Amino acid sequence: MRLFFFAIVAFLFISLPIFSQTVEPAMAVDRNTLQLELESLYVMEKDGADRVNSWSIPSVLMRYGISNSIELQLNIPYLRESIYEDNNAVNSRTFLDNVQMGVSVNLWEEQGALPQAALMARALVPVYDYQTSEIGTLLALNFSNTISNQLSLNYNLGWINDTEGNSAYYIANLSWEISQTIHSFVEFFGSTYNKIDMNHNINSGVGFNLGESFCLDLSVASGLNQQMLFFGGVLTYQFSI
């Protein structure tokens, strides 16, 4: 379930210039605009003598604006997962994780201290284990506050429900536009699984605008109260159709 959480929250879009981080946007892409995000993420988690390594190779997120306030979303997570016990490999598989299909709707614009907001809803459709799994759901409220011309605060509150259980999550991201071509960010994110565990993590990175339509972001994250480390990169391309 924890690795599934990382697969869900591994993408970002925040207008132009394009940023590609973990936090989800508080606005939709423009009408008749298609955005493709190719993400590769290597996650290492350890719990006692057990260790799980997961690699997205890559995963794909597609966003399409059917209006300036509504976008359709399709996320296809393609993963390789290896499980170790006492440093001995006990299982390894390459598979399509739950395909996510959904929509994001702008609720209101930013006004002073009132943040810009969007409601995001996705269906989690089983592919790898489709015979025994039911369709899950993801619901989230995504917010954004403009602090200055260079700084923005972006944050999410979400809920995931599938056959493995329930998970609530949060993401808080501070983005800094260093120049027209370089930006950086720091963010905290975490989740609680079935109201038992609350995991907290910190993520930071740097991104490069490679033109009006291309962006590359690189990041590294570490667990604050768990043994987790990941390295990631997202290449984003946006065009009108």
Side-chain angles (χ1 to χ4, degrees):
M1 184 69 179
R2 286 178 296 172
L3 290 175
F4 177 56
F5 168 75
F6 290 119
I8 287 177
V9 300
F11 304 99
L12 164 75
F13 172 80
I14 306 180
S15 188
L16 287 175
I18 304 168
F19 292 172
S20 301
Q21 298 156 29
T22 299
V23 70
E24 286 283 350
M27 65 180 300
V29 296
D30 292 338
R31 181 182 179 184
N32 297 330
T33 296
L34 177 65
Q35 180 165 300
L36 301 177
E37 301 176 15
L38 302 176
E39 179 255 3
S40 184
L41 182 70
Y42 189 72
V43 182
M44 296 171 286
E45 291 186 283
K46 191 173 182 180
D47 184 7
D50 300 332
R51 176 165 53 93
V52 179
N53 294 353
S54 181
W55 180 30
S56 58
I57 48 177
S59 296
V60 180
L61 175 65
M62 291 178 281
R63 304 181 187 269
Y64 178 69
I66 61 175
S67 72
N68 289 332
S69 60
I70 302 175
E71 73 173 30
L72 302 179
Q73 303 175 344
L74 176 63
N75 182 13
I76 305 175
Y78 186 52
L79 305 176
R80 179 173 179 81
E81 182 182 83
S82 299
I83 300 176
Y84 299 85
E85 294 180 358
D86 294 321
N87 292 323
N88 297 314
V90 296
N91 188 28
S92 182
R93 59 177 181 163
T94 301
F95 63 103
L96 281 174
D97 204 348
N98 294 351
V99 171
Q100 303 168 32
M101 298 182 294
V103 62
S104 178
V105 180
N106 293 355
L107 298 178
W108 58 75
E109 300 297 322
E110 181 178 4
Q111 297 182 25
L114 181 69
Q116 183 166 329
L119 173 65
M120 185 179 71
R122 293 180 183 175
L124 312 177
V125 182
V127 176
Y128 180 78
D129 191 20
Y130 68 93
Q131 292 182 331
T132 59
S133 296
E134 299 177 358
I135 294 176
T137 56
L138 181 154
L139 293 174
L141 286 171
N142 306 324
F143 303 98
S144 178
N145 288 95
T146 300
I147 300 175
S148 69
N149 291 334
Q150 289 77 38
L151 290 173
S152 64
L153 176 64
N154 313 280
Y155 44 106
N156 307 153
L157 295 173
W159 177 262
I160 302 166
N161 177 57
D162 69 355
T163 55
E164 295 186 21
N166 302 313
S167 179
Y169 71 88
Y170 73 90
I171 308 172
N173 171 291
L174 183 64
S175 295
W176 177 30
E177 187 177 350
I178 300 173
S179 69
Q180 292 184 346
T181 58
I182 302 175
H183 53 268
S184 65
F185 67 93
V186 61
E187 65 186 7
F188 295 89
F189 64 94
S191 65
T192 177
Y193 174 58
N194 281 344
K195 301 180 181 180
I196 298 175
D197 300 322
M198 173 59 76
N199 300 316
H200 303 282
N201 313 275
I202 185 171
N203 182 25
S204 62
V206 62
F208 308 91
N209 298 325
L210 307 177
E212 293 185 353
S213 300
F214 278 100
C215 174
L216 174 66
D217 266 41
L218 304 173
S219 63
V220 59
S222 177
L224 295 176
N225 63 341
Q226 60 173 325
Q227 291 183 292
M228 186 281 293
L229 181 69
F230 81 64
F231 306 90
V234 182
L235 180 64
T236 303
Y237 178 54
Q238 184 186 92
F239 57 95
S240 299
I241 60 174

